[in-house]
Amino acid sequence: MEYNDVIRSTSYNQHEILYNVIQLHNDGKPFDCDPTYSIGNFYGTFNITKTNGEEATIEIPQPKYKFDVCPQVDGVEKIEPLGKLPLDDKSINSICIDLPFVISCGPSMKTPDYDENGNKVKNNMISRRFASYYPVAQLLESYKHWIEEAYRVLKDDGILCFKCQNTITGSKFLGSPYYSRIIAESVGFDSLDEFILLAKNRLVSGKINKQQHARSFHSYFLVFKKSLKKKITYFDFMDDEEIEEMLKGFTKNNVNKKRRKEL
């Protein structure tokens, strides 16, 4: 294999990453399902400059099953935010999921452009453009639900391509990709690969007067396989009691006091 032919873990083009995921992990076949289809920006024919500098025309074929909680184009079936896909257990070979990553300032799934009097709302541009979650737990619940649902509908050795990125909420860092990996492995997925989408430019909020965190210029495409054949067993160095104590510590530090009493 020539150096320029090597599939790389980073790219400035998400279509190159999706194409590489399909070629490397899905036998060159289209994804069977996308439950976060939106207007289908992932799919089509694209002229790109590859990471190695070569010009190329690539195709990301349309998935067979297209769903979204707010369908915007014909051919997309509506689903509920925490509902089940209208697919049988172990019925598809691959699925691509791109959930929102923004935490909003209030209990609206999308920040409006205009208020009730017709006046333009001066909100953060990212919040206006992308659907969002509120509160933080809603994002984590949604990610967990759709990872579990992907596991249900995938056949053995099926592939999940899961796009996500870190975000800042309430001046706190939220590592959604790390959480997603923990959830995926807990339900039985094997972590197969990781691609990093880099950005040359990012939107910057006009509300921020003093920067507290590094502005994120990357997001992730995590690739999971519904298989335990080659899965690494991380905690063989611990006995059952030590593992139980670790899990208790995780719960103690990530669940509020009221909820811990209920548990």
Side-chain angles (χ1 to χ4, degrees), residues 49-108:
T49 301
K50 298 170 66 176
T51 305
N52 62 16
E54 295 179 356
E55 300 294 325
T57 299
I58 61 173
E59 181 183 5
I60 313 296
Q62 294 284 335
K64 180 178 180 180
Y65 302 105
K66 308 172 188 178
F67 306 104
D68 204 288
V69 296
C70 297
Q72 300 179 60
V73 294
D74 293 339
V76 179
E77 185 175 346
K78 180 176 174 55
I79 55 175
E80 295 302 317
L82 294 176
K84 286 188 173 295
L85 294 172
L87 299 173
D88 294 333
D89 295 356
K90 297 186 176 183
S91 59
I92 61 174
N93 293 302
S94 58
I95 186 170
C96 183
I97 298 177
D98 178 18
L99 293 165
F101 64 90
V102 176
I103 307 296
S104 69
C105 313
S108 172

Side-chain angles (χ1 to χ4, degrees), residues 13-249:
N13 190 300
Q14 68 178 1
H15 298 116
E16 180 182 19
I17 290 178
L18 287 165
Y19 180 81
N20 287 340
V21 171
I22 289 172
Q23 300 305 313
L24 192 59
H25 299 301
N26 206 39
D27 296 326
K29 299 176 183 177
F31 294 115
D32 289 333
C33 176
D34 186 335
T36 52
Y37 186 81
S38 186
I39 59 174
N41 283 334
F42 274 178
Y43 309 101
T45 301
F46 307 96
N47 296 317
I48 68 167
T49 301
K50 298 170 66 176
T51 305
N52 62 16
E54 295 179 356
E55 300 294 325
T57 299
I58 61 173
E59 181 183 5
I60 313 296
Q62 294 284 335
K64 180 178 180 180
Y65 302 105
K66 308 172 188 178
F67 306 104
D68 204 288
V69 296
C70 297
Q72 300 179 60
V73 294
D74 293 339
V76 179
E77 185 175 346
K78 180 176 174 55
I79 55 175
E80 295 302 317
L82 294 176
K84 286 188 173 295
L85 294 172
L87 299 173
D88 294 333
D89 295 356
K90 297 186 176 183
S91 59
I92 61 174
N93 293 302
S94 58
I95 186 170
C96 183
I97 298 177
D98 178 18
L99 293 165
F101 64 90
V102 176
I103 307 296
S104 69
C105 313
S108 172
M109 283 300 291
K110 188 171 182 180
T111 308
D113 289 324
Y114 297 89
D115 63 20
E116 59 185 9
N117 297 317
N119 299 314
K120 191 170 182 63
V121 178
K122 296 181 179 179
N123 289 318
N124 182 284
M125 187 180 296
I126 295 176
S127 296
R128 294 205 308 273
R129 286 182 55 193
F130 300 99
S132 58
Y133 293 105
Y134 176 86
V136 174
Q138 189 182 76
L139 180 149
L140 302 179
E141 180 183 20
S142 178
Y143 279 35
K144 179 176 183 293
H145 171 81
W146 289 111
I147 289 172
E148 292 175 337
E149 185 64 2
Y151 191 86
R152 179 185 72 82
V153 300
L154 282 172
K155 298 178 182 178
D156 291 341
D157 294 328
I159 298 298
L160 163 61
C161 180
F162 192 82
K163 185 182 180 184
C164 52
Q165 73 177 69
N166 300 311
T167 190
I168 304 297
T169 176
S171 298
K172 298 293 184 181
F173 176 87
L174 179 62
S176 305
Y178 313 108
Y179 168 83
S180 301
R181 190 182 300 282
I182 290 172
I183 294 300
E185 294 199 9
S186 75
V187 301
F189 279 111
D190 177 30
S191 290
L192 190 60
D193 216 335
E194 174 184 279
F195 293 82
I196 301 173
L197 175 63
L198 302 173
K200 295 180 179 179
N201 299 290
R202 285 292 204 195
L203 297 172
V204 177
S205 173
K207 297 180 180 179
I208 298 176
N209 296 317
K210 182 180 179 180
Q211 185 172 357
Q212 296 177 309
H213 304 86
R215 179 67 173 96
S216 179
F217 274 65
H218 68 285
S219 56
Y220 296 87
F221 285 82
L222 306 179
V223 185
F224 302 105
K225 188 173 186 177
K226 187 176 178 178
S227 173
L228 298 178
K229 293 177 182 177
K230 297 183 179 180
K231 185 172 177 61
I232 298 172
T233 51
Y234 298 107
F235 301 111
D236 279 356
F237 66 94
M238 302 170 67
D239 59 31
D240 291 345
E241 184 176 340
E242 289 175 314
I243 293 173
E244 185 176 348
E245 286 301 312
M246 180 183 69
L247 294 175
K248 284 182 179 179

